Amino acid sequence: MNVLKRLLRIFCYIMVALGITGLTLCVMHSDKLMVRRYELASSKVTQPHTYVVISDLHHRDLTFEGGVNLVDTIKQEEPEAVFMIGDMIDDHIERADKDPFPVMDKLVDGLSSYPIYYVTGNHEDKARELYDEFVAHFANNDNFHIIGGSGDADEDKRVELGDNIFLYGLHDPSFDYEGYNHFDKNPGHLANSLEKFDIETSGFNILLEHRPELVDLYGEYKFDAMFAGHSHGGQIVLGGWSTFSIPGGTFNYVGGEYDYQDGDGDTKKLYVSRGLGYSAMLPIRINCNPEIISFTVHPE
């Protein structure tokens, strides 16, 4: 009996500790939307150009702490185009027959005055049937362009934005290689896509992709700036540790601005978005606010 009482007491202590920990995490949670602004000077352009980059929405709602609306925040940056870089939908969304993508419908409709360029992430692959429906759903939307699709290298496209600026999109490698993970980083067909791009070396070249850990592959080509997501900024960040701190994997690039060397040894920029939504298993952010990126390239 004494042993049973002791075990019951220990169990109660554990449950209380877990409850206190959960409550503390909820209190520390922050959903304040941030705008992270980056600028890059280049002799390849003749005037300033601003673009907004968003990632990892995971089909969450568009309203953030204090009633701040995502569409309004994007519009305040006065971008020429909006780049969506993966995991905008996933297989956990609640759907209705009449409107299977209610959040993305509101977002795309709200941004109807801007061209939108979209590349896939791993959650589009996890929800493959849903993604196929998503493509069909937005197929007739004139301002919505998927330039990094579902694995066929021909679906990865180059777009000319004007003023000698070129945009390139890559699909997520999980569409090609089912076993892709943060340690077995098989790039699938991405090398084929990169070879087919016929990159304008005299232009200002922007790459959109989801996986920052493949920067060494992308860096073999003449991109001036790359944008990636996936890591959610670590999502829960305490000191130098985050929930996504996995040595040797994606999370060497958790969020922010990184230098990398291109094929000629020149230093270029990789920008990793901390994203907007959450992992379904961990719907909380601590010391890691959701963010959009506002990127401006201007003449030197």
Side-chain angles (χ1 to χ4, degrees):
M1 182 65 70
N2 288 336
V3 173
L4 182 60
K5 286 183 177 179
R6 192 174 297 116
L7 290 175
L8 182 60
R9 188 179 300 118
I10 292 172
F11 174 76
C12 291
Y13 289 156
I14 292 173
M15 295 305 295
V16 169
L18 289 174
I20 293 173
T21 300
L23 180 61
T24 301
L25 291 176
C26 289
V27 170
M28 294 175 68
H29 168 65
S30 177
D31 197 39
K32 182 179 180 181
L33 181 61
M34 310 294 290
V35 179
R36 195 85 54 179
R37 297 184 178 91
Y38 300 105
E39 293 188 7
L40 192 60
S42 174
S43 61
K44 298 177 180 179
V45 301
T46 63
Q47 58 189 17
H49 301 273
T50 296
Y51 307 100
V52 163
V53 184
I54 61 177
S55 76
D56 298 277
L57 181 71
H58 290 281
H59 218 76
R60 62 155 289 166
D61 62 274
L62 303 182
T63 302
F64 293 77
E65 186 177 307
V68 173
N69 181 268
L70 177 60
V71 171
D72 293 339
T73 304
I74 291 172
K75 287 181 175 180
Q76 289 169 9
E77 296 303 303
E78 300 181 346
E80 295 179 21
V82 176
F83 305 153
M84 298 183 180
I85 54 174
D87 285 6
M88 299 297 289
I89 61 171
D90 65 28
D91 54 344
H92 300 104
I93 68 174
E94 296 181 4
R95 307 171 66 230
D97 291 338
K98 293 183 179 179
D99 189 359
F101 304 101
V103 175
M104 283 300 295
D105 275 337
K106 289 180 183 178
L107 181 57
V108 173
D109 288 347
L111 299 174
S112 60
S113 57
Y114 311 101
I116 297 170
Y117 298 99
Y118 190 107
V119 301
T120 53
N122 55 297
H123 277 269
E124 282 86 351
D125 173 56
K126 288 181 179 179
R128 184 73 67 92
E129 291 184 6
L130 184 66
Y131 172 68
D132 292 340
E133 188 177 341
F134 173 82
V135 172
H137 184 75
F138 287 103
N140 296 320
N141 192 306
D142 293 336
N143 72 309
F144 187 83
H145 313 280
I146 296 177
I147 63 170
S150 60
D152 188 332
D154 291 334
E155 294 183 16
D156 294 346
K157 297 180 174 66
R158 183 183 85 170
V159 178
E160 187 170 357
L161 298 179
D163 196 18
N164 204 33
I165 300 175
F166 296 87
L167 183 68
Y168 304 79
L170 287 180
H171 66 278
D172 190 80
S174 61
F175 280 92
D176 303 333
Y177 180 57
E178 186 175 348
Y180 188 98
N181 58 61
H182 304 304
F183 303 101
D184 184 7
K185 298 186 283 287
N186 186 318
H189 301 152
L190 296 187
N192 294 338
S193 297
L194 289 162
E195 289 295 335
K196 287 183 177 182
F197 277 150
D198 189 24
I199 295 171
E200 291 281 349
T201 55
S202 62
F204 185 86
N205 297 302
I206 301 173
L207 177 67
L208 305 184
E209 33 81 20
H210 189 65
R211 304 273 190 166
E213 70 268 24
L214 294 175
V215 65
D216 289 342
L217 171 63
Y218 315 140
E220 296 175 13
Y221 300 84
K222 298 294 289 184
F223 297 110
D224 297 277
M226 302 182 198
F227 293 93
H230 187 58
S231 57
H232 298 195
Q235 206 165 297
I236 293 179
V237 180
L238 300 170
W241 177 90
S242 79
T243 50
F244 294 165
S245 295
I246 303 175
T250 298
F251 308 113
N252 290 336
Y253 305 97
V254 174
E257 179 180 359
Y258 301 88
D259 290 337
Y260 72 92
Q261 305 297 313
D262 70 10
D264 293 332
D266 297 326
T267 300
K268 300 297 177 64
K269 293 293 185 181
L270 167 67
Y271 303 97
V272 180
S273 170
R274 292 171 176 83
L276 295 164
Y278 315 100
S279 164
M281 296 181 294
L282 198 64
I284 193 170
R285 282 179 178 262
I286 294 176
N287 294 327
C288 181
N289 292 81
E291 71 175 26
I292 69 171
I293 289 176
S294 181
F295 173 74
T296 299
V297 54
H298 55 80
E300 284 184 332

